[in-house]
Amino acid sequence: MQDISTRLVNAGKVEAREFINTINPPLHRASTVLFDSYADQQKCNAGEYEGIAYGLCGMAAQNAFEAAMVELEGAHGCKAFQSGIAAIAMVLMAYTKQGDHILICDNVYGPTRYFSDKFLSKYGVEAEYLPSDAGAGVADYIRENTTLLFMESPGSNTLEIQDIPAIAKVCRENGVVSVIDNTWATPLYLNPFELGVDVSIHSVTKYITGHSDILLGSVSTNEKYWGTFESCYNVFEAYAPQEDCYQALRGLRSLPFRLKRHEVSALEIANWLESHDMVESVLHPALESHPQHDLWKRDFTGSSGLFSFTLKEEYEDIDHGPFVDGLELFGIGYSWGGFKSLITGGKFKRTNHYGYEGKTIFRLSIGLEDVEDLKADLGQGLEKLRK
Ligand SMILES: Cc1ncc(COP(=O)(O)O)c(C=O)c1O
């Protein structure tokens, strides 16, 4: 009989090849993956082994989620990441090198800007910000050393829509990789590859998982840009947690139904706010009043549950605490796309063409609650500010 320590190390080992035909993929936890033979390990040393050799690379749940995203987006390949911002950072690193110039639409998610300004700059990459309505005019910003252009449409606070096909065309003509953060629309409401974009990023944290309990990101590319991306990914061993990939795959199953509910409720609330006597403007691309509504109608097949609004001048320079704290159904919190409705607010800082400088923008993420309950809650909250 072997010693208890030896027996404990080897007890209960499940043969990985033991096949149980569940509908959902199995979950693996791994660092070491065993070879069948010394010959296989020699093949791996020589770079000729085709199986899974190490870490979480190629595990079932991640593979299944990535394959589902490839199918939904019509991409060549997809990789999952520990978070949306990890996915964004990897894209920005994969396609840049010292001395490069990159263009970023100025409505991007704050940490995307932060990563470019504070981190990429250390490696000699210069980021320049474009007005989000530049359209084909982005050609004027392209330099000899421009390698990448980053869009976020709509912007996740201010909801500007970019002319995606026009920008992608200029990128293609100039050998610049075009990238979009497609989190707001999800793969269901916008297909960037059909519009000529090269790389699509999602914060899977939002609608795809939908339950505010997971951080996950994804990057999909077309065939041309896959090799460069995959080799950068492999260097970083940036494998996503398998349990989170599993949950993201589960989220995809119900995404159309949840997203439709977010869409319908958000539109109803946006329309109601637009006619509210204390509201100055509602920033929602599916409203006809939105400055790029026509672009949204042309390129998107739906709208999700995130939008913003501002209050009339007389309600600007007052304490908004009674409104926000007085809401019963809206949590005050960052991130979005989950089942619970959320609100955030703050002074608009960046200068852009909308004239929102210095205004307080309230951002709503409309969840899955009953829309009449949500309207009633917002209504009673706003009354707390009435003069
Ligand atoms: C548009 C957008 N992209 C990316 C991210 C980052 O996602 P994550 O929280 O998964 O890192 C966010 C997060 O709020 C976002 O709003």
Side-chain angles (χ1 to χ4, degrees):
M1 172 84 75
Q2 290 164 328
D3 183 75
I4 184 67
S5 59
T6 308
R7 283 162 51 213
L8 279 176
V9 166
N10 292 290
K13 180 175 175 301
V14 177
E15 277 299 324
R17 279 153 296 181
E18 195 176 285
F19 182 67
I20 304 172
N21 193 11
T22 51
I23 291 180
N24 291 299
L27 281 173
H28 293 102
R29 301 183 72 85
S31 53
T32 298
V33 180
L34 298 175
F35 293 102
D36 280 347
S37 65
Y38 183 60
D40 277 352
Q41 191 239 304
Q42 296 312 298
K43 270 197 208 160
C44 192
N45 286 352
E48 292 160 2
Y49 182 67
E50 298 212 328
I52 297 169
Y54 185 69
L56 292 168
C57 170
M59 295 291 144
Q62 181 164 353
N63 274 1
F65 172 65
E66 290 167 351
M69 290 295 281
V70 163
E71 192 176 325
L72 278 176
E73 297 194 291
H76 177 77
C78 172
K79 288 290 179 198
F81 289 85
Q82 301 90 334
S83 68
I85 194 63
I88 290 167
M90 187 67 66
V91 166
L92 290 170
M93 288 189 289
Y95 298 111
T96 57
K97 62 183 184 314
Q98 188 179 28
D100 283 352
H101 167 249
I102 62 172
L103 292 167
I104 302 182
C105 287
D106 73 353
N107 61 356
V108 286
Y109 173 59
T112 303
R113 189 181 272 259
Y114 184 87
F115 182 81
S116 306
D117 291 347
K118 299 282 188 271
F119 191 87
L120 278 186
S121 60
K122 288 201 298 184
Y123 298 91
V125 176
E126 183 194 350
E128 182 182 355
Y129 294 88
L130 286 168
S132 58
D133 64 349
V138 296
D140 297 340
Y141 292 81
I142 290 180
R143 304 182 194 161
E144 240 169 53
N145 60 341
T146 307
T147 50
L148 178 147
L149 188 148
F150 196 105
M151 294 173 261
E152 183 180 305
S153 184
S156 55
N157 279 307
T158 40
L159 286 294
E160 302 92 334
I161 297 280
Q162 280 123 53
D163 190 339
I164 301 166
I167 295 175
K169 181 163 177 279
V170 171
C171 287
R172 212 150 268 199
E173 286 163 359
N174 288 277
V176 169
V177 55
S178 57
V179 178
I180 191 165
D181 181 331
N182 194 26
T183 304
W184 184 86
T186 84
L188 300 189
Y189 288 166
L190 182 81
N191 187 324
F193 296 107
E194 280 175 3
L195 301 180
V197 177
D198 300 311
V199 178
S200 167
I201 303 175
H202 292 275
S203 166
V204 177
T205 310
K206 312 288 189 286
Y207 291 110
I208 293 177
T209 55
H211 288 74
S212 307
D213 53 358
I214 280 164
L215 284 179
L216 203 72
S218 73
V219 175
S220 304
T221 86
N222 59 15
E223 189 171 2
K224 179 171 177 197
Y225 286 101
W226 179 248
T228 310
F229 185 72
E230 196 182 24
S231 43
C232 183
Y233 171 87
N234 288 337
V235 167
F236 279 84
E237 276 192 354
Y239 314 126
Q242 300 305 292
E243 288 83 354
D244 296 351
C245 292
Y246 180 98
Q247 294 290 3
L249 185 64
R250 182 147 95 165
L252 280 178
R253 313 289 184 213
S254 61
L255 182 61
F257 308 99
R258 289 184 289 110
L259 201 58
K260 186 43 92 183
R261 170 96 170 184
H262 290 293
E263 173 177 25
V264 170
S265 297
L267 265 174
E268 162 104 22
I269 294 172
N271 275 305
W272 171 75
L273 281 172
E274 203 164 41
S275 61
H276 194 287
D277 67 345
M278 294 166 71
V279 171
E280 184 171 88
S281 54
V282 179
L283 292 72
H284 189 310
L287 295 184
E288 280 183 14
S289 56
H290 187 278
Q292 292 100 31
H293 175 67
D294 288 345
L295 290 181
W296 172 80
K297 229 160 83 180
R298 185 192 66 190
D299 296 338
F300 291 71
T301 54
S303 57
S304 63
L306 186 85
F307 69 96
S308 299
F309 69 96
T310 62
L311 293 175
K312 286 192 175 148
E313 203 48 44
E314 63 256 48
Y315 299 105
E316 178 58 44
D317 290 317
I318 56 171
D319 175 15
H320 296 119
F323 162 50
V324 178
D325 294 337
L327 295 173
E328 283 172 21
L329 299 179
F330 286 78
I332 309 165
Y334 294 123
S335 204
W336 42 282
F339 60 92
K340 181 169 175 58
S341 291
L342 298 173
I343 183 166
T344 52
K347 286 264 185 210
F348 186 81
K349 292 194 197 103
R350 129 181 94 77
T351 47
N352 83 348
H353 56 283
Y354 271 9
Y356 289 128
E357 295 82 355
K359 292 247 18 151
T360 303
I361 293 194
F362 294 102
R363 189 181 76 171
L364 300 178
S365 173
I366 301 300
L368 300 178
E369 304 91 338
D370 178 75
V371 69
E372 293 304 323
D373 290 340
L374 292 175
K375 273 198 289 190
D377 195 31
L378 285 169
Q380 66 79 24
L382 285 170
E383 285 308 314
K384 298 201 158 95
L385 299 181
R386 194 177 291 281
K387 296 191 169 164

